[in-house]
Amino acid sequence: MLKAKYLLLFYLFAFTLSIVKVNAQTFTPIAVTGFNGDVIAETSPATASTTISMDLQQHILYSQTFATANSLTGGGLINTGTIVSGTRTYQLQPFTANNAIHVQLGTPQTMTLTTPAHFSQLSMFGLSTEQSSTISLTVNFTNSTSTSFTNINVQDWFLGTGSIYNGFGRIVQLASGPYAVSGYPTDPEMYPFDITLSCADRAKLVQSITINVTAQTGTNSSVFMFGLSGAVDSTHLSSTVTNVGCSGGNTGTASVIATGTSSSYSYSWNTTPVQFTSTATSLGVGNYICTISDAAGCAVKNDTITITTVANPAITFTATHDTVCNGSSTTITVSGLSS
């Protein structure tokens, strides 16, 4: 009995994992501008390859190349700057230029997309220093509208939970070595901050995101954001049609199958009555529109299908003689398609 119980728990756990895997969104890096500080040392001395420090103790981050060159005990941000966490990919800015957006209480900062685009979800990544902070994120669209997301908690870069990247260490921003590593191999940590756009906002082009620190736990808390990734719907449609036969009537059918990034799709045909399956039946001659919605209920595609009648068969008569006399015989061949 006990064995059966554990087996049941195992299958339930496996089933839950499969659901999470199916519903996971794929986030890819988005090119943005607005970075106002270089906090990642890539060459020595650290003061020459960074422009600002991240806390009152003058801590900064460093690359793996810097760690090797200075014989550090470990850590360092991955040299490519590419961070992969499950279905999420984030991209750090080049270490040789400004690579963080530094935001303090009362001084909002804006990251601007190099190319405005449509998204279903956005994910910024970053951290807070000198304890946690509370921020708001305002998504600005090219049509001059905006949507704000408030009361977002940004955890401190040490001892947080739910990070996407951690254990890369930190050093003090010195003019010369030796450099001592702190935090490695568990800290610091970077965290994701997800924004789910409404159906109406998904139809708009995202132009920029304004970051505003609205509250801070520590007197000198600062927020550092390092980039942005997004989830884009990529729905593909395939369709098949059965036209109305020669005898007419409502004998046509139309099928639409959607595949893509959504975990499931729903269908709605403009028939009377409305049909909600991927295949619409009992169709007469005419145009039919199928609206496809994703798992969030947002309409992502419209597909128009035309139902026509099967073409009438062509019938050809061929005689073996030009003249048919009384009492004689000839051969007549009929060829064509049968209805």
Side-chain angles (χ1 to χ4, degrees), residues 74 78 126 136 149 155 166 174 187 192 221 238-239 255 289 302 304 308:
I78 185 169
S136 66
F149 301 82
Q155 299 178 82
N166 70 289
L174 300 175
D187 295 297
S221 298
S238 59
S239 59
S255 295
I289 300 174
N302 285 325
T304 300
T308 62

Side-chain angles (χ1 to χ4, degrees), residues 34-40 51-52 54 61 92-94 97-103 109 111 125 127 190 211 223-227:
F35 298 92
N36 58 0
D38 185 344
V39 299
I40 304 171
T51 59
I52 60 174
M54 300 179 70
L61 305 178
L92 295 169
Q93 298 301 297
N98 284 346
N99 40 51
I101 297 179
H102 181 207
V103 192
Q109 301 292 328
M111 62 167 56
F125 67 108
L127 51 84
M190 291 185 184
I211 310 157
V223 168
F224 292 86
M225 291 297 179
F226 294 92

Side-chain angles (χ1 to χ4, degrees), residues 60-323:
I60 57 172
L61 305 178
Y62 59 96
S63 69
Q64 291 176 345
T65 296
F66 184 94
T68 300
N70 289 275
S71 302
L72 301 186
T73 55
L77 294 167
I78 185 169
N79 288 327
T80 62
T82 303
I83 300 170
V84 179
S85 177
T87 60
R88 299 163 176 263
T89 301
Y90 301 91
Q91 183 63 51
L92 295 169
Q93 298 301 297
F95 301 156
T96 55
N98 284 346
N99 40 51
I101 297 179
H102 181 207
V103 192
Q104 295 176 296
L105 186 67
T107 57
Q109 301 292 328
T110 298
M111 62 167 56
T112 302
L113 278 69
T114 303
T115 304
H118 299 280
F119 298 96
S120 59
Q121 283 187 294
L122 295 167
S123 184
M124 194 176 293
F125 67 108
L127 51 84
S128 178
T129 61
E130 302 288 358
Q131 303 185 47
S132 64
S133 301
T134 302
I135 64 172
S136 66
L137 296 175
T138 301
V139 181
N140 308 301
F141 302 97
T142 56
N143 66 351
S144 299
T145 63
S146 62
T147 300
S148 294
F149 301 82
T150 60
N151 297 318
I152 300 170
N153 179 47
V154 182
Q155 299 178 82
D156 185 79
W157 56 345
F158 273 59
L159 305 177
T161 58
S163 65
I164 57 165
Y165 189 41
N166 70 289
F168 39 85
R170 66 181 182 181
I171 58 174
V172 174
Q173 187 188 43
L174 300 175
S176 61
Y179 299 96
V181 175
S182 61
Y184 176 81
T186 57
D187 295 297
E189 301 182 76
M190 291 185 184
Y191 311 95
F193 308 98
D194 293 352
I195 299 170
T196 299
L197 299 180
S198 67
C199 295
D201 284 348
R202 293 184 192 191
K204 306 174 186 177
L205 292 170
V206 177
Q207 185 173 56
S208 63
I209 302 176
T210 300
I211 310 157
N212 185 31
V213 175
T214 55
Q216 50 190 183
T217 303
T219 304
N220 297 292
S221 298
S222 286
V223 168
F224 292 86
M225 291 297 179
F226 294 92
L228 182 70
S229 290
V232 183
D233 178 82
S234 58
T235 302
H236 304 281
L237 303 180
S238 59
S239 59
T240 57
V241 173
T242 302
N243 289 315
V244 174
C246 295
S247 57
N250 297 328
T251 58
T253 63
S255 295
V256 175
I257 300 297
T259 56
T261 53
S262 180
S263 59
S264 62
Y265 292 95
S266 58
Y267 305 84
S268 177
W269 294 87
N270 67 333
T271 54
T272 303
V274 177
Q275 299 185 50
F276 297 102
T277 58
S278 60
T279 299
T281 60
S282 302
L283 304 179
V285 173
N287 295 322
Y288 297 90
I289 300 174
C290 181
T291 300
I292 298 94
S293 301
D294 62 16
C298 298
V300 293
K301 291 280 186 179
N302 285 325
D303 195 20
T304 300
I305 291 181
T306 300
I307 300 293
T308 62
T309 56
V310 175
N312 290 326
I315 301 176
T316 303
F317 294 88
T318 304
T320 57
H321 299 284
D322 293 334
T323 304

